[in-house]
Amino acid sequence: MRDAQPRTVYLKDYRVPDYLVDSTRLHFELQPKATLVKSQLQVRRNPEAGEGLPPLQLDGVELELLSVSIDGELVPASRYRELPEGLSIPVDKAEFTLEIHNRINPEENTSLEGLYLSNGMYCTQCEAEGFRKITYYPDRPDVMSKFTTTIVAPRQYPVLLSNGNEIERATTEDGRQVVTWEDPFAKPAYLFALVAGDLQHVEDRFTTASGREVKLQLFTEAKNIGKCEHAMRSLKKAMRWDEEVYGREYDLDIFMVVAVDHFNMGAMENKGLNIFNSACVLASPDTATDASFQRIEAIVAHEYFHNWSGNRVTCRDWFQLSLKEGFTVFRDAEFSADMNSRAVKRIEDVAMLRTAQFAEDAGPMAHPVRPDSYMEISNFYTLTIYEKGEEVVRMIHTLLGAAGFRKGSDLYFERHDGQAVTCEDFVKAMEDANGVDLGQFRRWYSQAGTPVLNVSDDFDAASGTYTLTVKQSCPATPGQEEKLPFHIPFALGLLDSDGNDLPLDAEGNTHKVLQVTEAEQQFRFAGLQEKPLPSLLRGFSAPVRVCYEYSLEQLQFLMRCDSDEFNRWDASQRLAFAALEKLQADFRNGDTLQLPAAVIESYRSVLQNRELDPALVAEMLALPSAQTLAEQAQTIDAEAIVAARDFARRELALALKDDLHACYLRLCNEREYSPSAADIAERSLKNTCLAYLAVTQAADAVALAEAQFAAAANMTDSAAALAALLNHAADDVAQAALQTFYDRWQGDTQVVELWFGLQSSSASWGTLGNVRALMQHPAFEMKNPNKVRAVIGGFANRNFTRFHDTDGSGFQFLAEQVIALDKLNPQIAARLVTPITRWKKYIPEMGEKMRAALQSVMDSGNLSRDLYEVVSKSLV
Ligand code: TRP
Ligand code: ZN
């Protein structure tokens, strides 16, 4: 375990590397407890780094150093210095070959960074700073080197993989296999990968636009070989899309994907050898839900797209992480939008951004898209870097238009191919290709916090002029008290009283992107007959909060008429939010709760609307989640949120039950499963109806869920029915369903994870007692992040009701688990603690209990750097 040295790294301290590594030869002799690593580096003084020959500083963590030689001569141990996290070697020539031998212990590696074992398979995870747990190296992304990798392993590991092309294969005298891989592209160490195991694979081919044949291989354990088809199809779609939309071809003759069960994140874009969390790549209709099918398509594309946005052009330093992540998330989101429903994809992404990223921006770990400092970089793989970073790239796309953006990306790839660059280089390429000035726009990279737009309007009937007044502000965030105005692309339309879009300029455009750049600004629209209704921030054109006083009638009107589907949904959310806010206030005042009939009727008309995409109907029907309500609240009163939301949900279910039932029956069909957008949309609406119906707890509703559970021919329907039973059926019915489900699927890792998650996130079933019991289940494994995320994360992040039990027991439980987990996997521990770091936003009684739980984590002592950073920054 690394200990908590409170060292902070600053962007302003960036210096070019003293030495470059032209080539890297690695030699692995794999053994569970003692893998021998030999590395041979061609080192050269960096001409840009200045005069003299400073000592060579290498990063290294938890390594057993065996020997160091330079140009074939052993360097005595007295000459070099072993540092707590590295090695310092004196240098007397500008070019030399450095050879290092060291040992590592993959079996004991539970951090899942570096080289580790997952179900008997060796695999690596090097981003961000995992390579230093393999061997001593200048482990920074601006040191790019050509890698050649030799793997020696016993026969139980027939598949031996690394980046690039296989160039040699042999057998040793004692019967071990020796395979050598060569990657012709220079890359930083974080993109290195190695896999060794008893794996099966499926294979396919792809012909690139210029006619090159690429071999595609997906490796898994034998039992999962039937779950590869969807990922393979997604990969080919992504390869084609990147050619068509960005003009980017794949560049090696082989592209490999490996599924592993133990993985800290979703997947990793290692050059030519992507490694995936099995949950993010394996799927079959009977075992994976629609949500996983779509997630897999998106993640496979995301990792593939990194080949250009990340690998060919990489990051200069980790402060630039969003350069590759924001851009690549934007690319994968557009890909998903093109493959499925654009509006629904946007709604899902914005709902997540508003709930989780806005909360991050308002919390103790708030940071800009390009942070100024960090203690542990693993803590900065955040929603801000990924999702807000995506929004920033999307705004550039909006400002330049699709063609202008493409000119910019072409220039970016051309200018920087093979380089390690900065966010600034990206923006500069966009500017230069389009002859525009994005000077003020750059503040999106440097200022944290979610801007607020206060919008008011005025209509002068005499002149027919409509005036919008837009005021922007941004709350203070840690280390940034004052903010300067952002450059905000503010898309809008104006509706007449028939619901038609009004022309906004002389050319008759009905959609306009206003350039909001000042703290306060006015925009005028002339020649109008009547006061229009504004449809603001269409398509969510910027990651901001918009405040405008809509009446209930106006929101109903937008829900019905807005030509922007995103804003139809947004109106439904505003309407629900207003109603739920009132219910919360009534609850706190001890008044009787009542859901206005007008609210119920707007939901009824959404439900009866047969013209809208059923997936959009489902999104509009769903009440904002408790987490979303918490994020939007000034002060979080969890009890009031739960009471208000449960009440509204039940009122809607009771009032609409006939419509819900009719809609449910209409959408039941016997078609064979397909993860097409159209079919997913129908299942989504059908199961939304089922969930509402179950809320009534009426015997016929429960019977419907039981029938669907018994007959389900795919996992989407099966899991939805099980969730309905868990949440609303009698205990014995729920218990029986859980048992049936487990008996059937206990051999399937992904389904068991789903089964864990359904229980721990259920308000009725996921009591703290049951969650503790799940942790005793034989299939639970504290060393497996997916299991931890399913059981502990399901409870802390997705079971708002039970986690916020007023006695504070949920917070203490989380603290306890975080402390235990930190000893095994610091990255996961530091992520898991998040819910209790937001204590300041809660009503004092609850906030104090959260803070106490957080303090107990701090007091447990000896925290990893990861956990220390998050906890210490949250306690101030
Ligand atoms: N680069 C990966 C992605 O976004 C992220 C990633 C995978 C990662 N595994 C990691 C980041 C482990 C930190 C640690 O596609
Ligand atoms: Zn990524």
Side-chain angles (χ1 to χ4, degrees):
M1 198 66 21
R2 304 197 270 238
D3 47 13
Q5 310 284 323
R7 110 197 138 150
T8 299
V9 186
Y10 295 92
L11 169 58
K12 63 174 166 49
D13 293 341
Y14 175 82
R15 299 288 175 275
V16 297
D18 284 336
Y19 292 91
L20 304 176
V21 182
D22 292 325
S23 72
T24 301
R25 290 186 145 273
L26 298 171
H27 187 279
F28 290 84
E29 284 174 40
L30 296 177
Q31 278 202 50
K33 285 188 184 0
T35 287
L36 178 63
V37 186
K38 300 178 189 165
S39 84
Q40 216 179 68
L41 314 182
Q42 219 48 61
V43 183
R44 173 164 60 90
R45 174 76 168 132
N46 182 1
E48 284 170 38
E51 300 296 307
L53 295 172
L56 173 65
Q57 307 275 359
L58 302 176
D59 302 295
V61 171
E62 291 165 30
L63 305 173
E64 184 193 343
L65 179 58
L66 300 173
S67 69
V68 180
S69 17
I70 288 183
D71 289 335
E73 287 212 24
L74 216 55
V75 181
S78 57
R79 290 272 293 146
Y80 56 78
R81 221 154 35 92
E82 281 199 67
L83 310 169
E85 298 196 348
L87 197 57
S88 173
I89 308 170
V91 170
D92 55 15
K93 37 194 160 187
E95 262 188 74
F96 54 93
T97 305
L98 174 72
E99 181 157 344
I100 293 184
H101 296 189
N102 66 277
R103 251 194 306 259
I104 48 180
N105 186 341
E107 193 175 86
E108 297 284 295
N109 183 354
T110 56
S111 70
L112 314 186
E113 302 174 89
L115 178 69
Y116 61 93
L117 278 161
S118 173
N119 298 344
M121 165 194 343
Y122 288 91
C123 61
T124 56
Q125 172 55 42
C126 295
E127 187 176 3
E129 297 181 335
F131 193 79
R132 62 189 62 187
K133 298 182 85 176
I134 294 176
T135 186
Y136 291 96
Y137 201 80
D139 188 8
R140 43 187 290 169
D142 56 355
V143 172
M144 298 173 77
S145 181
K146 285 195 180 155
F147 281 69
T148 307
T149 305
T150 299
I151 311 167
V152 184
R155 261 189 300 244
Q156 306 92 280
Y157 306 94
V159 174
L160 304 177
L161 310 175
S162 190
N163 318 83
N165 306 306
E166 186 185 308
I167 55 166
E168 231 176 275
R169 179 178 282 268
T171 308
T172 61
E173 277 166 18
D174 59 357
R176 287 181 301 166
Q177 274 222 77
V178 186
V179 177
T180 301
W181 292 80
E182 184 184 71
D183 182 355
F185 293 93
K187 66 169 177 288
Y190 86 85
L191 291 171
F192 168 79
L194 176 156
V195 169
D198 184 6
L199 303 173
Q200 304 285 309
H201 74 274
V202 296
E203 189 167 310
D204 209 330
R205 325 211 120 245
F206 180 86
T207 310
T208 68
S210 66
R212 277 191 322 99
E213 281 271 296
V214 182
K215 183 157 73 178
L216 312 175
Q217 294 181 319
L218 206 167
F219 293 84
T220 72
E221 293 170 61
K223 64 173 184 182
N224 290 323
I225 201 72
K227 290 184 167 194
C228 298
E229 196 189 309
H230 178 65
M232 187 62 92
R233 198 166 334 118
S234 303
L235 174 61
K236 288 186 286 179
K237 285 194 214 170
M239 294 178 84
R240 192 61 76 209
W241 188 90
D242 211 16
E243 294 183 343
E244 287 169 3
V245 180
Y246 282 85
R248 298 290 127 195
E249 269 189 35
Y250 187 60
D251 52 10
L252 284 163
D253 299 331
I254 177 168
F255 185 80
M256 297 173 284
V257 168
V258 182
V260 307
D261 280 348
H262 296 72
F263 205 71
N264 280 350
M265 307 266 284
M268 181 62 211
E269 70 264 24
N270 316 302
K271 184 78 187 187
L273 178 55
N274 287 359
I275 298 183
F276 275 66
N277 186 325
S278 13
C280 298
V281 60
L282 302 175
S284 65
D286 53 342
T287 63
T289 61
D290 291 340
S292 356
F293 271 89
Q294 294 199 313
R295 190 164 57 130
I296 289 166
E297 183 181 76
I299 299 183
V300 167
H302 178 99
E303 305 312 329
Y304 173 74
F305 296 155
H306 268 315
N307 191 53
W308 276 97
S309 49
N311 301 2
R312 288 289 287 259
V313 182
T314 194
C315 301
R316 186 191 74 171
D317 55 74
W318 292 119
F319 298 101
Q320 319 297 329
L321 180 57
S322 197
L323 171 75
K324 74 176 176 82
E325 295 305 345
F327 187 20
T328 304
V329 174
F330 174 68
R331 279 150 58 69
D332 86 59
E334 285 296 294
F335 166 75
S336 294
D338 284 347
M339 298 297 127
N340 305 288
S341 155
R342 178 162 284 271
V344 172
K345 169 68 179 161
R346 191 69 186 131
I347 288 166
E348 288 166 357
D349 287 354
V350 172
M352 198 244 288
L353 186 87
R354 275 185 182 156
T355 305
Q357 196 280 325
F358 281 18
E360 189 168 274
D361 245 347
M365 287 290 287
H367 55 278
V369 166
R370 185 189 54 226
D372 301 309
S373 69
Y374 59 77
M375 286 162 91
E376 171 51 61
I377 187 58
S378 300
N379 288 331
F380 286 76
Y381 285 74
T382 59
L383 291 143
T384 301
I385 301 296
Y386 277 68
E387 272 38 70
K388 187 176 182 177
E390 178 212 336
E391 296 298 331
V392 171
V393 175
R394 183 178 293 279
M395 287 190 284
I396 296 178
H397 188 274
T398 301
L399 291 170
L400 302 180
F405 186 86
R406 172 65 193 270
K407 275 197 269 171
S409 72
D410 282 352
L411 180 60
Y412 170 72
F413 288 128
E414 181 196 310
R415 219 181 235 180
H416 299 298
D417 190 8
Q419 299 177 0
V421 303
T422 62
C423 298
E424 170 59 26
D425 293 319
F426 181 80
V427 178
K428 193 82 177 61
M430 290 290 163
E431 282 184 330
D432 291 353
N434 289 277
V436 296
D437 177 2
L438 295 172
Q440 184 183 357
F441 184 85
R442 283 171 170 74
R443 286 178 191 155
W444 284 107
Y445 287 96
S446 57
Q447 296 190 139
T450 306
V452 179
L453 293 187
N454 274 297
V455 181
S456 56
D457 57 356
D458 184 58
F459 182 65
D460 179 35
S463 64
T465 306
Y466 178 67
T467 306
L468 272 181
T469 303
V470 182
K471 294 184 191 169
Q472 65 161 304
S473 61
C474 181
T477 49
Q480 293 186 338
E481 282 309 310
E482 300 291 333
K483 317 273 176 166
L484 297 168
F486 289 88
H487 178 177
I488 300 169
F490 189 44
L492 88 172
L494 300 179
L495 276 64
D496 70 15
S497 51
D498 295 325
N500 299 314
D501 277 325
L502 289 161
L504 302 178
D505 54 25
E507 291 90 67
N509 291 313
T510 57
H511 181 85
K512 204 172 172 74
V513 181
L514 305 179
Q515 309 289 317
V516 173
T517 53
E518 321 261 311
E520 179 168 347
Q521 235 168 320
Q522 292 198 325
F523 300 91
R524 289 201 171 71
F525 304 88
L528 301 172
Q529 314 292 325
E530 54 175 356
K531 184 174 182 182
L533 177 62
S535 168
L536 302 169
L537 201 74
R538 279 189 162 169
F540 199 71
S541 62
V544 301
R545 289 177 214 269
V546 173
C547 303
Y548 175 85
E549 298 271 322
Y550 283 112
S551 68
L552 177 63
E553 291 71 28
Q554 289 175 327
L555 291 174
Q556 287 173 318
F557 188 77
L558 289 172
M559 280 171 75
R560 253 197 338 273
C561 304
D562 201 323
S563 62
D564 186 81
E565 290 190 324
F566 177 86
N567 269 11
R568 281 170 94 141
W569 169 78
D570 198 46
S572 76
Q573 298 303 290
R574 285 178 187 270
L575 180 134
F577 183 72
L580 289 162
E581 205 168 41
K582 169 80 168 60
L583 289 171
Q584 287 179 60
D586 291 345
F587 174 83
R588 280 194 297 268
N589 298 331
D591 296 341
T592 30
L593 304 189
Q594 213 194 333
L595 190 63
V599 171
I600 295 175
E601 290 320 306
S602 0
Y603 278 85
R604 195 189 308 280
S605 56
V606 170
L607 188 51
Q608 289 175 346
N609 188 325
R610 300 279 289 266
E611 262 129 59
L612 283 177
D613 176 356
L616 187 59
V617 174
E619 296 288 355
M620 289 174 78
L621 284 180
L623 291 172
S625 67
Q627 287 82 357
T628 304
L629 296 171
E631 200 294 315
Q632 297 194 9
Q634 261 317 318
T635 303
I636 303 172
D637 181 342
E639 221 186 338
I641 287 176
V642 170
R645 194 171 180 280
D646 284 355
F647 175 81
R649 203 164 49 136
R650 195 171 157 77
E651 288 296 290
L652 285 172
L654 289 168
L656 303 177
K657 70 176 189 320
D658 294 342
D659 295 286
L660 289 163
H661 198 199
C663 182
Y664 176 85
L665 293 178
R666 179 164 61 78
L667 294 170
C668 285
N669 68 61
E670 308 268 276
R671 282 203 301 277
E672 202 192 325
Y673 178 88
S674 146
S676 69
D679 284 5
I680 289 178
E682 292 200 351
R683 278 189 293 274
S684 160
L685 180 52
K686 178 184 72 180
N687 287 320
T688 300
C689 292
L690 181 69
Y692 264 115
L693 287 167
V695 169
T696 65
Q697 293 179 300
D700 55 342
V702 173
L704 218 52
E706 284 190 87
Q708 175 168 323
F709 182 69
N714 61 70
M715 186 47 75
T716 306
D717 288 342
S718 176
L722 181 56
L725 293 174
L726 281 184
N727 286 320
H728 308 292
D731 275 5
D732 56 330
V733 177
Q735 180 67 63
L738 276 175
Q739 193 61 48
T740 309
F741 191 91
Y742 184 75
D743 290 346
R744 163 127 194 238
W745 296 115
Q746 54 181 306
D748 188 298
T749 311
Q750 283 76 50
V751 184
V752 171
E753 284 162 11
L754 180 72
W755 181 79
F756 275 136
L758 285 174
Q759 294 174 75
S760 64
S761 64
S762 158
S764 14
W765 201 262
T767 59
L768 186 50
N770 283 347
V771 171
R772 284 193 190 275
L774 284 177
M775 290 183 64
Q776 299 305 314
H777 192 281
F780 181 81
E781 212 192 319
M782 198 67 155
K783 289 182 183 168
N784 184 318
N786 289 4
K787 301 291 190 300
V788 170
R789 279 185 281 252
V791 176
I792 308 173
F795 177 73
N797 297 309
R798 295 186 296 281
N799 190 347
F800 193 87
T801 307
R802 296 291 181 180
F803 178 65
H804 292 95
D805 202 300
T806 47
D807 64 7
S809 54
F811 314 147
Q812 279 166 20
F813 166 77
L814 186 63
E816 226 176 89
Q817 301 315 322
V818 163
I819 292 167
L821 202 56
D822 195 40
K823 309 282 177 269
L824 300 171
N825 189 328
Q827 285 184 9
I828 300 297
R831 275 174 194 274
L832 201 65
V833 76
T834 307
I836 52 173
T837 62
R838 311 259 166 87
W839 59 274
K840 280 188 187 157
K841 235 194 124 173
Y842 283 78
I843 54 169
E845 317 73 294
M846 291 302 272
E848 181 44 42
K849 293 192 171 95
M850 278 188 174
R851 198 203 56 77
L854 197 61
Q855 185 67 50
S856 76
V857 175
M858 187 56 127
D859 295 344
S860 74
N862 220 347
L863 305 189
S864 68
R865 184 153 66 214
D866 309 57
L867 187 56
Y868 178 82
E869 173 170 38
V870 178
V871 174
S872 63
K873 288 182 176 174
S874 307
L875 279 170
V876 292

